[in-house]
């Protein structure tokens, strides 16, 4: 079984060079976070990995099997119910299977509603169910926790872990949130510069149980991202 091999030499839009040289290999089932500020090129890189963007230089080798993408916005079909949104995807199964998958993530009551009738958090959950319903070998997640309220973030984080465990997929998750990256993935790369390249590529010391403990996430967060925030003789900087 193969994982994912990314060897990009560049991606430009017109004369604007967005991505420079970016390379990494993932083992099958490995979970990678792509960290970086807004506009750095995370969604662009995910589009290249997904195969929807072919206007780049370089090569991407994907694992055998299906690819599922959960976009930054849920992109559900507004004229279909949540269950229908899942059942229309080739390979996702019938309406009954869609309803039972939705029930597993707490959307049993909402499964026959249309997207506009449910909250953004519920739409996000449905979009994630739609992705895991096809049992993907490669799961691409674009900012899955952004603009959710704190309570929904916790539920969504649990659901993402469930989806990743259930599918065993190789995962690439774009996020600008470092704690979220530590809470969900095995390895974290940071994009920086113009054009963007990898400024770091680190394996998380947190195993899959440890990363569910917010205190352990905080410890690694401070060690990795705030090494300069301790002032000699004083407390930690705010
Ligand atoms: N189709 C396109 N045509 C022209 N420029 C584009 C296109 N797609 C992306 N860009 C540019 O590429 C850069 C990276 O955009 P991208 O959406 O990948 O960033 P991002 O890291 O996902 O940002 P965010 O965190 O806000 O989602 C931006 O400057 C954007 O304007
Ligand atoms: Mg983006």
């Amino acid at each position: 079984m193969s994982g994912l091999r990314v060897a990009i030499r560049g991606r430009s839009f017109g004369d604007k060079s967005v991505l420079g040289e970016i390379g990494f290999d993932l083992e099958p089932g490995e979970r990678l976070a792509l960290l970086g500020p807004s506009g750095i090129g995370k969604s662009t890189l995910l589009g290249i990995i997904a195969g929807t963007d072919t206007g780049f230089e370089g090569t991407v080798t994907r694992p055998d099997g299906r690819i599922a993408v959960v976009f930054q916005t849920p992109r559900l079909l507004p004229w279909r119910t949540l269950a229908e949104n899942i059942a229309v995807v080739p390979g996702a199964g019938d309406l009954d299977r869609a309803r039972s998958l939705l029930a597993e993530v707490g959307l049993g009551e909402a499964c026959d509603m249309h997207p506009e009738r449910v909250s953004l958090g519920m739409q996000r959950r449905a979009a994630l169910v739609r992705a895991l319903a096809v049992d993907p070998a490669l799961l691409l997640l674009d900012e899955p926790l952004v603009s959710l309220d704190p309570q929904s973030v916790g539920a969504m984080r649990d659901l993402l872990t469930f989806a990743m465990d259930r599918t065993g997929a190789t995962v690439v998750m774009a996020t600008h949130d470092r704690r979220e990256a530590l809470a969900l993935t095995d390895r974290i790369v940071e994009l920086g510069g113009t054009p963007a390249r990898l400024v770091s590529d680190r394996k998380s010391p947190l195993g899959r149980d440890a990363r569910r403990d917010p205190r352990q996430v905080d410890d690694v967060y401070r060690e990795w991202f705030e090494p300069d925030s301790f002032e000699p003789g004083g407390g930690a900087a705010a």
Side-chain angles (χ1 to χ4, degrees):
M1 214 167 75
S2 59
L4 172 71
R5 170 163 288 190
V6 173
I8 293 167
R9 288 198 307 280
R11 173 60 164 125
S12 301
F13 296 104
D15 54 12
K16 183 175 174 188
S17 177
V18 173
L19 301 180
E21 284 205 13
I22 292 177
F24 53 82
D25 288 356
L26 298 187
E27 305 278 331
E30 193 173 359
R31 300 169 188 175
L32 179 85
L34 281 177
L35 262 182
S38 186
I40 194 80
K42 301 181 296 294
S43 297
T44 302
L45 181 50
L46 280 184
I48 290 172
I49 294 171
T52 51
D53 179 349
T54 54
F56 66 102
E57 289 173 75
T59 55
V60 173
T61 311
R62 300 173 190 84
D64 296 333
R66 292 173 186 272
I67 302 172
V69 186
V70 180
F71 297 98
Q72 222 162 326
T73 51
R75 296 202 194 177
L76 299 171
L77 303 171
W79 61 90
R80 293 197 183 266
T81 65
L82 299 189
E84 288 168 352
N85 263 280
I86 292 157
V88 293
V89 179
D94 61 11
L95 262 182
D96 283 341
R97 176 162 187 262
R99 289 197 183 98
S100 72
L101 285 172
L102 286 164
E104 274 189 71
V105 304
L107 291 175
E109 308 259 294
C111 65
D112 294 321
M113 292 185 190
H114 287 81
E116 64 182 14
R117 298 269 319 279
V118 306
S119 70
L120 175 66
M122 292 161 90
Q123 292 180 39
R124 285 266 180 79
R125 269 141 73 194
L128 186 61
V129 168
R130 182 173 58 179
L132 77 92
V134 301
D135 194 20
L138 180 62
L139 177 61
L140 305 176
L141 304 165
D142 200 349
E143 298 276 8
L145 298 174
V146 84
S147 50
L148 295 179
D149 61 75
Q151 203 180 340
S152 306
V153 166
M156 190 66 190
R157 197 186 291 123
D158 290 346
L159 177 55
L160 286 163
T161 303
F162 166 82
M164 295 189 291
D165 289 348
R166 164 79 72 99
T167 60
T170 304
V171 176
V172 182
M173 179 181 84
T175 179
H176 60 270
D177 187 318
R178 293 156 160 180
R179 279 196 175 80
E180 177 185 311
L182 286 167
L184 288 167
T185 63
D186 304 315
R187 176 174 161 194
I188 299 178
V189 299
E190 287 180 282
L191 294 174
T194 321
R197 58 190 177 79
L198 298 189
V199 295
S200 69
D201 180 347
R202 293 184 279 198
K203 263 206 142 44
S204 172
L206 299 174
R208 291 185 179 175
D209 287 331
R211 74 181 63 143
R212 304 188 74 139
D213 173 3
R215 282 198 326 231
Q216 297 196 54
V217 167
D218 265 352
D219 287 344
V220 181
Y221 178 87
R222 279 196 295 273
E223 186 187 329
W224 278 19
F225 300 116
E226 293 183 338
D228 304 324
S229 64
F230 292 95
E231 292 170 16

